[in-house]
Every structure is written in C-alpha cells, then in structure tokens.
C-alpha cells in the first residue's frame, strides 16, 4: 500500500505554534496517540486564527468546517517534548482551502519530524448549513498577503 505524502513549501509558513505534549496526549504505547495529534493540529489552527483576531466561526467574515483530514506519522513524540507546528495554506479556491501542518520537536540536539498533516477546510454558514464563498480578508490571510 502506498504511503500518504505531503510536500511542504520551502519556507514562509502562515504561522508557527509551539505546543507542549501533555500527559493526556500519551497512549498505552508510551507516545503521543493518533487522536492527540488531531487535537494538537486543531489547537495549532486555533492559535493561528486567534493571532489574527479570528476564530473558526468568524475568520475574516467566514466560518469554516473541516471536510477532511490526513495525517502521516513520521516519528514518536513523548511527554516532555515541545512540538513546533508550522502551518501552510495551499489549494485556495473560492470556497475552500487546505492547511498543511509540519509537526516536529527538538530533542537530544536534533530536530525530529513527528507528523505531517493536512486539513481540508471549507467556508460554511452554520445558520443556513451551506457552503459559502470565501471573503477577501480570509483569502488575503491565507495567501500570506497584507490585510485589505
């Protein structure tokens, strides 16, 4: 079975979050569980949005909903690690976009990749329960351009 692979832009992430591994993130195998990685990317996304004064319910005039997620595990993370999550935007259309997450830690003098992830995000109106067009402010942010 072919492995899922993500290609990251060379540099210039939209945002970098730093999140310590909590004891509740550890599973019976003694490392961060797969469910915790999903929670960690959600937290990183919220930190990114909050840094701009946005939320998932109001990101430059848009609400958003997750349409899909993909996680490729690259290494183990442990209690005491601090994760660095670089977030990039790709595949920006008039109603949706992908966020890429490069998760790593610095341990024993070296950087270790922990996971690569992608979330497909869709602009969504929670009142009408319908997909909506992306507003210019959100698109500017995702393109890493100065605000309008």
């Amino acid at each position: 079975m072919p492995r899922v692979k993500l290609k990251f832009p060379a540099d210039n992430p939209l945002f970098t979050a730093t999140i310590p591994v909590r004891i509740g993130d550890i599973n019976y195998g003694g490392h961060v569980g797969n469910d915790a990685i999903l929670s960690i990317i959600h937290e990183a996304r919220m930190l990114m949005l909050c840094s701009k004064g946005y939320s998932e319910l109001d990101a430059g005039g848009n609400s958003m909903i997750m349409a899909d997620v993909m996680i490729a595990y690259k290494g183990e993370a442990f209690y005491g690690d601090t994760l660095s999550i670089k977030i990039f935007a790709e595949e920006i259309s008039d109603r949706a976009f992908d966020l890429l997450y490069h998760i790593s830690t610095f341990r024993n003098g070296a950087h270790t990749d922990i996971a690569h992830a992608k979330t497909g995000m869709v602009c969504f109106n929670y009142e009408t329960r319908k997909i909506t067009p992306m507003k210019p402010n959100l698109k500017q942010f995702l393109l890493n351009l100065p605000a309008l």
Side-chain angles (χ1 to χ4, degrees):
M1 175 174 83
R3 300 280 318 251
V4 178
K5 295 180 183 169
L6 286 174
K7 183 175 180 181
F8 290 90
D11 58 356
N12 203 23
L14 282 177
F15 185 78
T16 301
T18 303
I19 299 175
V21 174
R22 304 165 304 172
I23 194 64
D25 296 330
I26 304 302
N27 67 12
Y28 58 86
H31 55 232
V32 172
N34 56 17
D35 58 327
I37 293 291
L38 184 58
S39 179
I40 287 164
I41 64 174
H42 181 88
E43 180 71 21
R45 185 174 59 252
M46 291 302 297
L47 290 169
M48 178 187 72
L49 292 169
C50 288
S51 77
K52 183 74 174 161
Y54 290 170
S55 71
E56 286 188 332
L57 294 177
D58 185 5
N62 281 108
S63 295
M64 58 184 78
I65 193 168
M66 188 186 304
D68 57 57
V69 64
M70 185 283 301
I71 302 172
Y73 301 97
K74 302 296 184 180
E76 296 176 291
F78 304 100
Y79 182 71
D81 284 344
T82 298
L83 302 177
S84 173
I85 303 97
K86 292 181 182 177
I87 304 175
F88 303 86
E90 283 194 335
E91 301 295 325
I92 301 165
S93 73
D94 63 336
R95 297 173 186 268
F97 56 95
D98 289 344
L99 292 176
L100 305 177
Y101 309 81
H102 183 266
I103 305 168
S104 64
T105 192
F106 189 75
R107 184 187 320 125
N108 300 325
H111 288 279
T112 301
D113 275 358
I114 302 303
H116 297 166
K118 177 195 81 72
T119 55
M121 306 301 293
V122 177
C123 298
F124 192 75
N125 183 316
Y126 282 91
E127 290 178 15
T128 63
R129 314 308 284 182
K130 295 194 183 293
I131 294 171
T132 61
M134 187 181 304
K135 306 272 192 218
N137 283 339
L138 178 57
K139 186 170 258 186
Q140 290 290 113
F141 173 64
L142 295 171
L143 291 170
N144 216 0
L145 299 172
L148 297 174

